[in-house]
Amino acid sequence: MSKAASQGLSFGTLAIHAGVEPEPVTGAIMTPIFQTSTYVQPAVGEPKNGSYDYGRTANPTREALEASIAALEAGNHGIAFASGLAAIEAIVKRLSAGDHVVSEENTYGGTTRMFNHVLSRFGIEFTYVDAQDTQAVADAMRPNTKLVHVETPTNPMMKLCDIAAIADLAHEHGALLSVDNTFASPFNQRPLELGADFTLHSSTKYVNGHSDVIGGLVAVRDRGLADDLYFIRKSSGAVPGPMDCWLTLRGIKTLHVRMERHNANGQAVAEWLEKHPSVDRVLYPGLPSHPQHELAKRQMSGFTGMVSVDVGTLERTKALTEHLEIFALAESLGGVESLVNVPALMTHASVPEDRRAAMGITPGLVRFSVGIEDVSDIIADLERVLG
Ligand SMILES: *Cc1c(COP(=O)(O)O)cnc(C)c1O
């Protein structure tokens, strides 16, 4: 469906139709997988449509996916990458040596690893703050700050930050705001509508939703920012393959239906766990006990299937996570099947131990990605192990 035709449609309709046109030769209703590295040019230096010269530069399956994420995120342009980390890297690669980034401290572990061990070697400086406190972000701003990078809800502490307030603050300082929207999904939260400049996903997670692709997606409103990212992707090479783009497009067609069920199951599991005596604390933005529940209701329309709990000790963590049957013990999240993860020893093992401890990522912290199975079976699985 063309951009003009998709104006004014609601999310579920866009999830199915945005970016997708019947294939012109046969009328195939599904976007073909253009599994090709190159294109025949009718004349020297005159590729078809002016752009189809080489697969790294242009691919129609990828373009359909990009139009889809742009529509879902209320943006104008989508840029697809080979992974979520490649998407974040491209946003930071707009900067130059001597520039400064203020980042939320509790991002995905791989994001911190890339900032500290790869990008900082190229002369870009990073300062980490607890972005729950907008003033802490303000205090970290410097004259050379070009980017503020946040994640909300954060992985795995489920902290939120006020996207609209931080967007204003970044802009007052001449910096841009990027929001890692992986945990919320565009169904529950649309950062561009709140003033962010970039919204991005590890589409490996909720956006694709079937645990069968690694991918990254960015959406922006501004043409100049989109051009920067297309140029960086073409120059650095982190392109997703056509098959992965196609799988992600297919996943997106049910995003709204999946997210409704993730939201409902996440809420039910969080409420059940909160009443359980062997769980010390439940971190879920949909619970009134969450310290930022009011902000959650203001900037999100649903609270996802991500639930973190504190059970106190590694012994209790192992007793819980190694005996569940519906929840598989694995990294990653956002797929239709339920997963459980111990961040301190798995997804966030690359974060230095003192920083992990300061953020509350202890061996007693367990992160659930509640899937879309029947919730009675999910809770029965927890009840069997927790008693
Ligand atoms: C998984 C994840 C990433 C990294 O994405 P990949 O697709 O694994 O490269 C980034 N941010 C968040 C919040 C994630 O959960």
Side-chain angles (χ1 to χ4, degrees):
M1 179 180 287
S2 71
K3 195 161 172 232
S6 65
Q7 295 292 334
L9 295 177
S10 26
F11 192 94
T13 312
L14 292 174
I16 292 168
H17 294 289
V20 178
E21 309 257 13
E23 191 275 323
V25 175
T26 62
I29 192 158
M30 287 300 136
T31 311
I33 306 167
F34 284 88
Q35 194 74 40
T36 188
S37 62
T38 192
Y39 307 89
V40 175
Q41 304 194 12
V44 177
E46 285 179 27
K48 289 203 172 180
N49 278 2
S51 65
Y52 294 116
D53 54 3
Y54 186 57
R56 174 158 33 73
T57 322
N59 179 284
T61 317
R62 196 172 82 200
E63 284 153 17
L65 172 62
E66 294 177 333
S68 171
I69 193 67
L72 296 182
E73 281 284 10
N76 295 319
H77 311 281
I79 309 97
F81 290 90
S83 69
L85 282 179
I88 299 169
E89 185 188 43
I91 292 169
V92 179
K93 276 184 175 166
R94 289 184 61 260
L95 311 189
S96 303
D99 289 343
H100 176 242
V101 178
V102 176
S103 172
E104 157 61 40
E105 61 183 2
N106 172 218
T107 60
Y108 173 69
T111 304
T112 332
R113 181 176 56 203
M114 172 169 67
F115 288 173
N116 290 343
H117 298 291
V118 181
L119 295 170
S120 64
R121 289 192 285 108
F122 295 87
I124 297 171
E125 280 186 278
F126 297 89
T127 301
Y128 297 96
V129 297
D130 179 353
Q132 284 178 109
D133 177 10
T134 305
Q135 189 56 42
V137 181
D139 293 344
M141 299 299 284
R142 300 185 196 160
N144 60 339
T145 307
K146 295 287 166 63
L147 181 72
V148 177
H149 177 76
V150 298
E151 202 175 290
T152 180
T154 66
N155 177 0
M157 298 309 291
M158 306 304 289
K159 293 191 302 174
L160 309 186
C161 67
D162 186 335
I163 297 173
I166 296 177
D168 285 346
L169 173 79
H171 297 156
E172 276 163 31
H173 286 79
L176 301 180
L177 174 63
S178 68
V179 178
D180 185 332
N181 202 27
T182 301
F183 260 47
S185 89
F187 181 74
N188 288 323
Q189 175 170 275
R190 283 176 297 282
L192 299 180
E193 289 178 343
L194 299 168
D197 301 283
F198 305 92
T199 176
L200 73 98
H201 293 273
S202 166
S203 46
T204 314
K205 316 292 168 54
Y206 281 121
V207 170
N208 177 57
H210 293 76
S211 307
D212 50 12
V213 171
I214 299 283
L217 292 170
V218 181
V220 298
R221 288 194 158 162
D222 184 78
R223 174 84 240 176
L225 293 183
D227 286 343
D228 287 356
L229 295 180
Y230 291 130
F231 181 78
I232 287 165
R233 182 183 60 186
K234 168 171 131 173
S235 306
S236 295
V239 289
M243 179 76 193
D244 285 355
C245 292
W246 184 86
L247 282 167
T248 307
L249 258 179
R250 186 168 71 165
I252 285 175
K253 289 179 202 294
T254 54
L255 180 61
H256 52 306
V257 183
R258 288 187 282 111
M259 290 316 300
E260 276 178 8
R261 182 65 85 86
H262 281 297
N263 290 345
N265 286 1
Q267 186 77 36
V269 166
E271 287 173 7
W272 188 87
L273 287 166
E274 192 166 51
K275 290 196 203 105
H276 200 282
S278 57
V279 175
D280 299 338
R281 198 156 66 107
V282 181
L283 309 173
Y284 185 73
L287 291 176
S289 61
H290 189 284
Q292 295 165 292
H293 184 56
E294 290 308 312
L295 174 62
K297 285 194 287 186
R298 198 162 76 230
Q299 82 182 8
M300 305 175 76
S301 55
F303 309 113
T304 87
M306 298 307 298
V307 182
S308 293
V309 299
D310 194 341
V311 294
T313 62
L314 180 59
E315 216 181 352
R316 290 170 72 185
T317 293
K318 286 173 84 74
L320 168 61
T321 59
E322 291 175 357
H323 297 99
L324 290 164
E325 278 169 7
I326 295 200
F327 286 93
L329 181 61
E331 302 206 358
S332 203
L333 61 107
V336 290
E337 64 289 306
S338 291
L339 301 178
V340 62
N341 162 57
V342 183
L345 303 174
M346 295 169 66
T347 47
H348 290 65
S350 65
V351 178
E353 198 186 337
D354 54 330
R355 291 206 33 235
R356 275 203 315 260
M359 290 186 282
I361 306 175
T362 59
L365 190 80
V366 176
R367 186 191 80 184
F368 296 99
S369 172
V370 181
I372 62 171
E373 301 94 340
D374 286 311
V375 74
S376 52
D377 291 329
I378 296 176
I379 290 180
D381 197 28
L382 291 166
E383 194 159 26
R384 190 178 45 77
V385 175
L386 284 172

